Amino acid sequence: MYIAQITVTYKPSILDPQGEVIKDALGRLDYQGVTSVTQGKYFEIKLTATDEQSAYDEATSLTEALLINPNTETYRITMLAEVEA
Amino acid sequence: MYIAQITVTYKPSILDPQGEVIKDALGRLDYQGVTSVTQGKYFEIKLTATDEQSAYDEATSLTEALLINPNTETYRITMLAEVEA
């Protein structure tokens, strides 16, 4: 069993209005040290696979098939091998 | 300059309907190896601080003040020291 931790964020060229709203709100709450905020999506997917490489390939395939908008979003995948309980 | 990578997910006791919807959709797309899907939010926050510990404390404080619903959500923070360009 493997766990894919998938982080999806906007491409750098794409405006992130939600991030701007959060940054302004943090400024009003006196968090003056904050210089930029990016908001994205996070997925944690448990999947069975013969080995880590095939688990990674499956996670990449399903991410590109369903979880991202390839025009505006980019992603990062981290694989963890789940220790059987 | 530091970067806080903040991952927010539902507490285990809370139903994750969005995760269930994604899991069903992946099943219909023939990704049979997927056993569970969790969806959450991801934030990347750049902030200035005197040292890594105070950057971490600020990130924790602003997460609990604005970014999560403490009743239903839990979070994880990873700190990165940004190399000055």
Side-chain angles (χ1 to χ4, degrees), chain B residues 21-77:
Chain B
V21 165
I22 293 169
K23 187 180 162 217
D24 291 348
L26 289 174
R28 284 196 301 277
L29 290 172
D30 257 346
Y31 291 102
Q32 301 307 337
V34 174
T35 58
S36 86
V37 176
T38 301
Q39 175 170 1
K41 297 176 285 194
Y42 173 76
F43 301 95
E44 209 164 274
I45 296 185
K46 281 188 188 169
L47 63 153
T48 54
T50 48
D51 55 55
E52 184 155 339
Q53 183 57 50
S54 53
Y56 181 81
D57 294 343
E58 174 131 337
T60 303
S61 167
L62 63 86
T63 297
E64 292 183 352
L66 190 72
L67 303 183
I68 65 162
N69 173 342
N71 300 313
T72 59
E73 293 174 330
T74 183
Y75 64 92
R76 213 173 43 229
I77 297 178

